[in-house]
Amino acid sequence: MNRFAPITVDEFLAEYWQRKPLLVRGAFADFDCPITPEELGGLALEEEVESRLIQEKGGEHPWQVRNGPFEETDLNTLPDSHWTLLVQEINKHVPEFALLQEQFNFLPNWRLDDVMVSFAPEHGSVGPHADNYDVFIIQGSGRRRWQINRTEPTDKDLIPGLPLKIMKAFEPEEEWILEPGDMLYLPPGCAHHGVALEDSLSYSVGYRAPTVGDMLSAFYGEAIAGQPTERFYRDPGLSLQDNPGEIAMAAREQVRAIIRAIATDDAAIDHWFGRFITDIRPGHYVPEPDEPLTPRQLLQWLEQTGELRRSEYCRFSYIREADNSLRLYVAGEEFILAGAAADMAELLAGQRSYSHEQLAPLVTQPGNPELLVELYNLGALYFSDEA
């Protein structure tokens, strides 16, 4: 189903992605919200759920931010307006939101961040701001007014001393009221301000990119750690120089060669990136199964339950090599596969749930049950009845 009609997905990618906002009326009119505001509040009480409460008014100071888990009294004593409850990574806890991400499968897995759900009563907002990621905002129940300004704010545009990057002044260029099922796409840097007109739920599917600094730091950190500690800079045949204060060209060329040698292998960079971009972020973890399974046990469970699912705590991505082998990357781990195992890895990376019928032609192939078991015991796969 094309959620961007009347334009095509190709037109969206060519004209809007990372370029300009897009409003699509009724894009998710058929989506039944799997959670109520009360159930969202219940999730915010749980230790393993990442949640925030933002109060523009009624807190100890304007734009007060509190992090969960909360107590029931925290939520029951809130004022009637001017606050927002946010639950991050709800796709880890509510399977329907995990499957919602499949509506955006035209974008690569490694760019996906999470699904966030927010509830706000009348006048609830998180303030005018800009994000460093792409986001699809889907309106659930209720209505919200969204205003945008395409000029990216700088630090001098922000209210100082706040934990949030809220703009001092916001001058909207465009404004829309989102009804249930409407979707608004916002590229990075586009300033926006959403305000609830009544009790309102919205879902945000976010796509985050790594910073250049993070990539360089991680790549060179790993490369440096792999260098032999007994290797030193050496300069036999040193030429006499006129001034000892000069760093001579011969020395500079040798240093350049040492540093450039780290990043000359394109394949090594590709394989590092697969591990890096799927790795578990600091402070996060992958829940492992209560008991590890053997290949025989896994096949028996698959026949009984009929469905295997991909954990939302893990990213699945792969690189297809020139020899048609495949490198599967899951939670920072690399699996080098070929033949039927490569075909199964493509299936695993391409969707979030797998029926027995889909897996049956593949699990009989040599090595495939062992791969599924390794991923299951890693916590990257689970059976539907374990949710």
Side-chain angles (χ1 to χ4, degrees):
M1 180 179 181
N2 176 20
R3 300 289 181 178
F4 296 93
I7 69 169
T8 66
V9 171
D10 284 340
E11 287 172 323
F12 168 75
L13 293 174
E15 299 176 24
Y16 294 91
W17 175 253
Q18 296 230 309
R19 288 182 172 86
K20 58 184 179 181
L22 175 67
L23 173 67
V24 185
R25 295 290 185 188
F28 283 85
D30 60 338
F31 181 71
D32 293 325
C33 181
I35 197 167
T36 65
E38 292 76 17
E39 290 168 336
L40 188 73
L43 280 175
L45 308 181
E46 298 182 14
E47 184 72 33
E48 68 274 13
V49 175
E50 184 179 345
S51 59
R52 287 180 297 160
L53 183 63
I54 299 174
Q55 289 182 257
E56 179 183 3
K57 298 179 181 180
E60 296 179 359
H61 55 78
W63 299 114
Q64 175 180 287
V65 180
R66 286 187 284 167
N67 295 310
F70 298 102
E71 301 291 337
E72 287 190 26
T73 53
D74 295 326
L75 304 183
N76 293 337
T77 57
L78 287 168
D80 293 334
S81 66
H82 292 89
W83 57 268
T84 299
L85 176 66
L86 306 167
V87 173
Q88 301 280 158
E89 299 184 330
I90 199 167
N91 47 297
K92 291 181 176 178
H93 312 289
V94 181
E96 291 85 352
F97 284 118
L99 295 176
L100 176 64
Q101 297 167 118
E102 295 203 336
Q103 299 298 317
F104 301 92
N105 270 357
F106 56 89
L107 295 167
N109 286 342
W110 66 266
R111 291 283 265 105
L112 179 62
D113 189 23
D114 74 337
V115 180
M116 180 183 73
V117 174
S118 71
F119 171 79
E122 185 179 13
H123 304 303
S125 172
V126 298
H129 67 286
D131 298 310
N132 292 319
Y133 51 85
D134 301 84
V135 63
F136 299 90
I137 301 170
I138 302 164
Q139 185 63 34
S141 60
R143 299 174 301 150
R144 292 194 192 191
R145 177 190 299 111
W146 287 94
Q147 299 171 320
I148 66 164
N149 186 307
R150 290 175 172 81
T151 302
E152 185 171 0
T154 63
D155 287 345
K156 65 180 178 60
D157 298 317
L158 307 179
I159 301 174
L162 290 180
L164 301 171
K165 294 185 176 182
I166 296 176
M167 299 172 64
K168 299 175 188 175
F170 180 76
E171 297 182 3
E173 296 176 340
E174 291 187 77
E175 176 180 308
W176 307 280
I177 293 177
L178 265 64
E179 306 275 353
D182 292 345
M183 177 177 70
L184 177 62
Y185 164 72
L186 296 170
C190 180
H192 53 283
H193 187 201
V195 180
L197 302 181
E198 58 219 11
D199 285 0
S200 169
L201 279 170
S202 70
Y203 335 119
S204 300
V205 183
Y207 283 79
R208 191 183 300 272
T211 68
V212 173
D214 284 345
M215 287 193 292
L216 292 175
S217 175
F219 175 77
Y220 282 104
E222 183 177 299
I224 290 168
Q227 296 297 311
T229 56
E230 68 277 4
R231 182 186 178 193
F232 292 87
Y233 172 92
R234 299 189 184 279
D235 51 4
L238 185 65
S239 299
L240 180 65
Q241 57 188 65
D242 295 334
N243 190 319
E246 180 185 7
I247 302 175
M249 178 57 72
R252 284 148 46 199
E253 287 177 343
Q254 184 174 342
V255 170
R256 292 172 191 169
I258 291 170
I259 294 174
R260 287 172 178 160
I262 293 177
T264 57
D265 187 339
D266 288 346
I269 295 173
D270 292 346
H271 303 158
W272 161 82
F273 185 71
R275 298 190 303 274
F276 165 77
I277 204 61
T278 62
D279 203 2
I280 306 303
R281 289 182 293 173
H284 291 66
Y285 70 101
V286 179
E288 296 181 359
D290 294 334
E291 294 183 6
L293 293 183
T294 65
R296 179 184 293 273
Q297 289 172 320
L298 184 136
L299 294 178
Q300 290 173 344
W301 277 39
L302 181 59
E303 289 181 1
Q304 294 170 7
T305 63
E307 185 180 60
L308 197 61
R309 292 182 181 176
R310 196 171 90 195
S311 170
E312 289 298 306
Y313 290 79
C314 298
R315 280 193 177 100
F316 281 60
S317 293
Y318 68 84
I319 291 174
R320 177 69 74 171
E321 302 285 21
D323 62 1
N324 214 34
S325 65
L326 182 145
R327 290 176 185 253
L328 176 66
Y329 297 94
V330 179
E333 300 289 334
E334 181 182 68
F335 303 87
I336 303 174
L337 309 168
D343 294 337
M344 188 171 70
E346 282 193 317
L347 173 66
L348 297 178
Q351 57 195 67
R352 287 174 171 78
S353 62
Y354 326 97
S355 68
H356 181 263
E357 290 73 20
Q358 288 176 308
L359 289 173
L362 296 168
V363 294
T364 58
Q365 302 297 319
N368 279 358
E370 288 75 15
L371 174 62
L372 288 177
V373 162
E374 190 167 358
L375 293 173
Y376 177 87
N377 292 338
L378 179 67
L381 297 174
Y382 68 98
F383 292 101
S384 56
D385 61 357
E386 296 177 309

